[in-house]
């Protein structure tokens, strides 16, 4: 990527602006490097694009990592508008239709505030799914993963190979699990569903 002006040899100048070379929507993400910025990274929306502010000395790998982190953080802030139980149930229905051919049919899906050691739970005999309120405000793909995880339990009760094959249909499973592991590690909270016996 030596042709990329952001990553050319030499010391970046204060206020240097660039776009990440491998971003899916490079024209919507702008990275601004600043020699005055030492450690902090921030991001904000400006019109139809996202601006990420980083220290000038940051490596290309660090930049890519921080762009992803900041995009996730902005998405979480923007989705703080919590879904109600009705919207959550509708979302579960759409996810079941999209990934499980509509076979997972919960009787109820709701937020709960008494799950501090789990992200979600499912009681297959009752067809009930409960998600921890701690997921509210996290990126949509993370909430979707936890919902799909619990929906999968309506079809396969344990965490065996058949269960994980079902979740393989969701393309952001690994990313969502990584996000939840990061949150858990940072706050010493429970691990993502399926990694601690749920």
């Amino acid at each position: 990527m030596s042709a990329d002006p952001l990553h050319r040899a030499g010391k970046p100048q204060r206020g240097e602006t660039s776009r990440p070379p491998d971003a899916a929507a490079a024209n919507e993400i702008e990275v601004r490097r600043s020699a005055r910025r030492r450690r902090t990274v921030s991001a904000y929306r400006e019109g139809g694009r996202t601006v990420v502010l980083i220290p000038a000395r940051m490596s290309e790998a660090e930049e890519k990592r921080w762009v992803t982190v900041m995009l996730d953080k902005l998405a979480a802030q923007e989705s703080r508008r919590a879904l109600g139980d009705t919207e959550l149930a509708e979302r579960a229905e759409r996810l079941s239709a999209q990934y499980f051919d509509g076979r997972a049919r919960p009787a109820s899906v709701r937020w709960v505030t008494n799950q501090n050691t789990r992200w979600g739970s499912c009681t297959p005999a009752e067809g009930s799914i409960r998600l921890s309120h701690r997921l509210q405000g996290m990126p949509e793909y993370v909430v979707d993963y936890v919902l799909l995880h619990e929906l999968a339990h309506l079809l396969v009760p344990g965490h065996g190979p058949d269960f994980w094959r079902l979740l393989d249909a969701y393309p952001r499973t690994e990313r969502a699990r990584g996000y939840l592991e990061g949150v858990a590690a940072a706050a010493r909270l429970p691990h993502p569903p399926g990694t601690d016996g749920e």
Side-chain angles (χ1 to χ4, degrees):
M1 293 194 194
S2 57
D4 184 352
L6 172 63
H7 305 294
R8 65 182 173 271
K11 190 173 183 178
Q13 299 301 311
R14 178 175 161 223
E16 186 171 339
T17 301
S18 67
R19 303 192 189 293
D22 62 350
N27 62 342
E28 295 176 4
I29 301 169
E30 180 180 333
V31 176
R32 293 182 187 167
R33 290 176 172 260
S34 170
R36 296 176 71 188
R37 191 174 279 271
R38 296 283 179 225
R39 294 183 198 158
T40 60
V41 176
S42 61
Y44 60 91
R45 304 283 191 211
E46 184 177 81
R49 67 182 171 189
T50 301
V51 178
V52 181
L53 307 170
I54 64 172
R57 61 180 171 69
M58 193 172 277
S59 72
E60 180 179 346
E62 289 173 313
E63 174 188 320
K64 286 180 183 179
R65 183 177 70 80
W66 276 106
V67 165
T68 300
V69 166
M70 297 312 290
L71 289 174
D72 285 346
K73 188 173 183 178
L74 280 175
Q77 290 170 353
E78 291 166 353
S79 69
R80 291 244 193 277
R81 166 184 80 76
L83 297 173
D85 289 346
T86 302
E87 294 89 359
L88 194 62
E90 290 169 356
R91 193 169 182 169
E93 186 179 331
R94 282 193 307 273
L95 289 167
S96 176
Q98 183 177 357
Y99 294 102
F100 303 146
D101 298 321
R103 293 178 296 134
R105 295 188 186 112
S108 67
V109 182
R110 62 190 176 95
W111 296 106
V112 295
T113 58
N114 63 349
Q115 287 193 1
N116 295 317
T117 61
R118 300 177 181 196
W119 297 112
S121 63
C122 175
T123 306
E126 298 172 5
S128 62
I129 292 175
R130 294 158 307 281
L131 296 190
S132 172
H133 72 286
R134 294 174 299 129
L135 289 165
Q136 292 175 331
M138 288 190 186
E140 287 186 13
Y141 73 91
V142 175
V143 176
D144 286 351
Y145 163 72
V146 177
L147 264 175
L148 280 166
H149 184 103
E150 302 310 334
L151 286 165
H153 279 307
L154 294 175
L155 304 173
V156 180
H159 290 109
D162 291 340
F163 175 84
W164 293 110
R165 260 191 297 280
L166 281 174
L167 283 180
D168 281 345
Y170 184 57
R172 300 182 101 181
T173 291
E174 289 306 314
R175 184 173 184 199
R177 286 174 55 86
Y179 185 97
L180 291 172
E181 286 173 359
V183 170
R188 298 191 191 278
L189 293 173
H191 294 286
T195 60
D196 66 349
E198 206 179 352

